Structure formats: C-alpha cells, structure tokens
Amino acid sequence: QVQLVESGGGSVQAGGSLRLSCTASGYSLSYRCVGWIRQVPGKGREGVALIDRYGLTSYVESLKGRFTISQDDAKNTLYLQMNDLTPEDTAMYYCAVSTRFPVTAGLNLARYNVWGQGTQVTVSS
C-alpha cells in the first residue's frame, strides 16, 4: 500500500521559512514524477513544484525564487523549502506522486494519483 505522509507545516510570521517533508512508504519515489500542491480554503488546488523522473524541477511562476523542491532517494523523502513566506502562502500543502506518467506529469494535478493527507502552513502578517 502506497502511503505519503507530510510533515513540517506550522505557523510562522511573514518573512519566515519552513521546510516541508513528505515520506513515502510502500513505494519508491525515485525515478518518478513527484510534486507539491497547495490548497487555500475556498479555492482550488494549485500545483507548486515538481521533480520529474530525471530530476528536473519545475515551479509555478509566481513562486520561483522563494520555494525549492528537492528529494532524498535514500530516505525516500520529498522536501519543499519555503522562504520569505507571505500570508498568501497560507494553505494546506500536499505531496503527490504520479504513477501513471513515468517521466513527468507537469503541474497537471489530474495526473497525480497518490496523495498525502496534507500539512497546514499558516503565515501571519
């Protein structure tokens, strides 16, 4: 059974940083397309960043330079380093893996078929 568990969320003041982690069990994240997605209450989910099968990263344009996605194959863990946070970054953050698109799923959320339960990030001004 594939399971993704996020951690590292919390409350932080604007300008602060957080690092989210997503650890997988029952499935190797290596050589898969994995990503971070966020959802603000009352709004749809937004793809934040991904790492494709070959280790190439992509980001939603608005977050480039502040967020960094990385992966530790030995720990089977995905990370999202978030810097210079603003209240607009407040959301539930999910990690997800695409088992059906072996190279890249892009930021097309419908292509990600295994999701974690999410971790809440709250940024106060």
Side-chain angles (χ1 to χ4, degrees), residues 91-119:
M92 183 72 78
Y93 285 74
Y94 301 89
C95 66
V97 61
S98 175
T99 65
R100 298 195 296 255
F101 290 82
V103 176
T104 183
L107 292 177
N108 184 337
L109 304 188
R111 295 182 174 182
Y112 292 86
N113 55 312
V114 180
W115 294 69
Q117 84 290 347
T119 186

Side-chain angles (χ1 to χ4, degrees), residues 21-76:
S21 300
C22 170
T23 300
S25 59
Y27 191 81
S28 173
L29 298 181
S30 300
Y31 305 108
R32 292 292 180 182
C33 183
V34 290
W36 287 97
I37 297 94
R38 68 183 183 181
Q39 184 167 23
V40 175
K43 296 186 179 181
R45 291 181 174 182
E46 174 187 39
V48 172
L50 67 92
I51 297 180
D52 74 12
R53 174 187 178 91
Y54 300 111
L56 297 177
T57 59
S58 295
Y59 298 89
V60 65
E61 191 67 29
S62 61
L63 298 177
K64 282 183 178 179
R66 293 196 300 120
F67 287 18
T68 303
I69 189 171
S70 62
Q71 188 172 1
D72 186 330
D73 290 339
K75 296 182 178 180
N76 208 22

Side-chain angles (χ1 to χ4, degrees), residues 11-16 84-90 121-125:
S11 297
V12 64
Q13 289 191 325
D84 194 20
L85 287 162
T86 73
E88 289 68 36
D89 295 317
T90 295
V121 171
T122 302
V123 184
S124 58
S125 58

